[in-house]
Amino acid sequence: MKKIQFICLVILILCIQACSGSGNDSKSNEPTSETPSVGQSGVIDDASQKNVVQVAVGSKDHTTLVTAVKAGELVDALSNAGPFTVFAPTNEAFNKLPTGTVDNLLKPESKETLVDILQYHVSVGVYKAEALNDGASIGQVNGGNIKITKKNGAIYVNGTAKIIASIPTANGVVHVIDGVLLPPKN
């Protein structure tokens, strides 16, 4: 009987040691100070359709927009599930702004203004081109509204920025536009 109790005690001790581990050779799933904190934009998924940020990053015509989105720290927000409609100005659209405007907006002290402008280019929801009706007013993330007009078969935002392409994404749609949308002054 004592022999059975001794064997049970040894098995119990071995089980406890196995479950607790020695700490030296076991790997933990807990984050360490060496584990970088990554937001939604850091998720790697090569199988799914690209999100609005990934579409912009993959476009040679949107490098200025991508730089601005990074400076405004909006990459993670726009990489989330959405859905979003993004009116994405091309590099050429940014070049139409007065000289120095983009450089000034990218300065840390201009971040609030930059974010306001960028959020004026984003709607919550998916507004496909065929659903953009003449005279429609669409609420933007910054609290402002844009107005859709149609002229000679083309769709314009605020009467000046023409939609030149529409790209469906995993979390919405990107409408490429040939002008930068500036929120109305309050």
Side-chain angles (χ1 to χ4, degrees):
M1 179 74 168
K2 287 189 177 198
K3 191 174 188 178
I4 292 175
Q5 287 177 338
F6 178 74
I7 293 172
C8 288
L9 181 60
V10 169
I11 292 172
L12 180 63
I13 291 171
L14 291 173
C15 287
I16 291 172
Q17 285 181 337
C19 289
S20 66
S22 65
N24 294 335
D25 59 349
S26 66
K27 293 192 177 187
S28 173
N29 289 333
E30 295 295 316
T32 65
S33 60
E34 297 173 14
T35 305
S37 175
V38 178
Q40 184 66 26
S41 63
V43 175
I44 298 172
D45 178 2
D46 295 328
S48 299
Q49 184 179 19
K50 293 180 178 183
N51 64 42
V52 295
V53 173
Q54 292 165 329
V55 166
V57 167
S59 168
K60 64 179 176 44
D61 295 323
H62 289 93
T63 57
T64 305
L65 178 61
V66 170
T67 299
V69 168
K70 287 177 181 177
E73 298 179 358
L74 296 173
V75 173
D76 282 333
L78 291 171
S79 297
N80 283 316
F84 302 112
T85 297
V86 175
F87 296 91
T90 61
N91 295 339
E92 191 58 39
F94 281 103
N95 291 339
K96 293 178 185 178
L97 295 173
T99 303
T101 301
V102 174
D103 291 334
N104 286 332
L105 286 171
L106 294 175
K107 292 179 180 176
E109 60 269 20
S110 300
K111 182 178 175 185
E112 187 176 323
T113 302
L114 175 65
V115 169
D116 185 48
I117 292 169
L118 292 172
Q119 289 179 341
Y120 190 61
H121 288 79
V122 180
S123 306
V124 175
V126 176
Y127 297 95
K128 295 181 179 178
E130 57 270 13
L132 297 174
N133 297 318
D134 191 40
S137 179
I138 300 173
Q140 300 303 93
V141 171
N142 78 332
N145 293 306
I146 59 169
K147 186 172 182 174
I148 303 299
T149 54
K150 290 187 174 182
K151 300 178 207 167
N152 301 323
I155 303 171
Y156 291 84
V157 182
N158 289 348
T160 57
K162 181 180 175 182
I163 295 177
I164 54 178
S166 296
I167 305 158
T169 70
N171 63 343
V173 64
V174 173
H175 295 299
V176 178
I177 56 176
D178 67 356
V180 176
L181 306 175
L182 298 174
K185 302 224 188 276
N186 292 334

